[in-house]
Amino acid sequence: MSVCITLVFGSFPLTAFAEQSYNWSYIPAKNNVPVKTETIYQELLDKTGGIFIGNTGQKHLYVTFDNGYENGYTEEVLNVLKAKKVPATFFVTGHYLETAPDLVKRMVAEGHIVGNHSWHHPSLPTVGDGKLIEELDKVKKKFTELTGVKEMNYLRAPRGEFSERSLTLSNKLGYTNVFWSMAYKDWDVNAQKGGEYAYNNIMKRIHPGAIMLIHSVSSDNAEALPRVIDEARKLGYEFKSLDDLMFERQMEQLPFPR
């Protein structure tokens, strides 16, 4: 006889399977074709309002950065984004808020989105509900203290680790979980290979609707970014913000007469 254990969380009935931990991944594709993810991952995102890719019928790109700590290149990145008029989302930790407050203020002042990357960067599926709430609330409160902005609508799970419970709880707290459909190994500051390497890796992976994950600790990315933006635009891509994407999704759900 099978046994189903049910945990009651507010109005959300969660089975014991909700504790299953997953590591985000997508199924690679060639020739700049939009990627897909595992069926179970897609089902969980659909169920909890998460996203990893935009409308694959449009040549839109969404630039996102994970900012766990500052390595001296974010100012250069911001300079490029400002000069090229490209919106971005920066997911910040508590450490980043405490050590690079001026850069966070500049992100907001220049129209970028700042998202939540948790205070201590833990694996969200491994912490209890109270700790998960604390991890997210501390970031939001510190961000508001620094910038005066009360809204923080997007969450990037540290290391891309998630469970149905972490997705459900964070969504109930008002967050859209944002994963990605394009990334490469750029975070190792001791293994940087130059701007040409970064450019080639990014350009072969972009695709319509791509949510791009790149790290501003990378000197390679800082060097390659101007060329990436220019070449992507030559190929017909437009750079959009996550707010643009969410507005588009909301409009699609409205009951307009057909």
Side-chain angles (χ1 to χ4, degrees):
M1 179 180 69
S2 63
V3 178
C4 180
I5 302 173
T6 300
L7 306 174
V8 178
F9 171 71
S11 60
F12 291 86
L14 299 179
T15 68
F17 296 108
E19 297 296 330
Q20 172 68 46
S21 180
Y22 303 98
N23 293 294
W24 176 255
S25 64
Y26 55 83
I27 302 167
K30 296 181 179 180
N31 302 318
N32 303 104
V33 173
V35 305
K36 296 181 180 180
T37 189
E38 304 294 339
T39 300
I40 182 62
Y41 297 174
Q42 186 66 68
E43 289 175 351
L44 288 173
L45 292 185
D46 291 343
K47 186 176 182 179
T48 59
I51 58 175
F52 82 98
I53 196 169
N55 184 340
T56 58
Q58 297 179 320
K59 297 187 78 170
H60 291 168
L61 298 174
Y62 307 90
V63 182
T64 73
F65 296 88
D66 284 2
N67 289 70
Y69 67 97
E70 180 52 40
N71 195 38
Y73 298 105
T74 304
E75 182 176 5
E76 183 177 346
V77 166
L78 285 168
N79 289 343
V80 172
L81 295 176
K82 183 177 181 179
K84 303 289 186 182
K85 295 182 173 58
V86 171
T89 300
F90 295 86
F91 291 96
V92 300
T93 61
H95 179 274
Y96 199 88
L97 288 166
E98 291 188 321
T99 59
D102 290 343
L103 287 173
V104 175
K105 292 176 184 177
R106 181 179 172 186
M107 293 168 188
V108 172
E110 295 182 356
H112 301 296
I113 296 169
V114 176
N116 203 321
H117 201 35
S118 79
W119 189 266
H120 293 106
H121 204 260
S123 173
L124 297 185
T126 69
V127 301
D129 289 357
K131 181 63 175 176
L132 193 154
I133 293 170
E134 179 185 3
E135 282 285 330
L136 303 187
D137 279 355
K138 284 187 70 175
V139 169
K140 187 174 181 179
K141 289 176 181 177
K142 184 64 176 180
F143 171 68
T144 299
E145 177 185 316
L146 282 176
T147 67
V149 178
K150 296 181 180 180
E151 296 79 19
M152 183 169 268
N153 301 319
Y154 303 101
L155 169 64
R156 164 115 346 118
R159 295 178 293 278
E161 296 173 353
F162 66 99
S163 66
E164 183 177 351
R165 179 181 63 87
S166 71
L167 294 177
T168 301
L169 177 52
S170 55
N171 182 242
K172 188 176 182 184
L173 294 172
Y175 289 97
T176 296
N177 281 272
V178 181
F179 292 91
W180 56 90
S181 63
M182 191 234 86
Y184 78 104
K185 188 177 180 181
D186 61 347
W187 61 87
D188 188 345
V189 297
N190 296 313
Q192 298 294 290
K193 300 179 181 180
E196 184 73 15
Y197 174 82
Y199 171 82
N200 289 332
N201 272 278
I202 294 171
M203 294 306 298
K204 73 180 181 181
R205 288 173 169 83
I206 62 170
H207 52 263
I211 294 180
M212 305 165 60
L213 166 57
I214 53 182
H215 289 80
S216 62
V217 295
S218 165
S219 58
D220 291 355
N221 286 337
E223 181 181 342
L225 189 57
R227 186 179 172 198
V228 165
I229 294 170
D230 289 345
E231 186 61 25
R233 282 175 167 160
K234 288 179 183 178
L235 294 172
Y237 286 96
E238 295 181 73
F239 290 89
K240 299 286 188 175
S241 76
L242 291 181
D243 283 348
D244 294 328
L245 174 56
M246 296 308 295
F247 178 76
E248 180 182 324
R249 286 165 61 96
Q250 290 167 3
M251 291 297 289
E252 290 174 351
Q253 295 171 4
L254 290 177
F256 290 121
R258 296 180 182 277

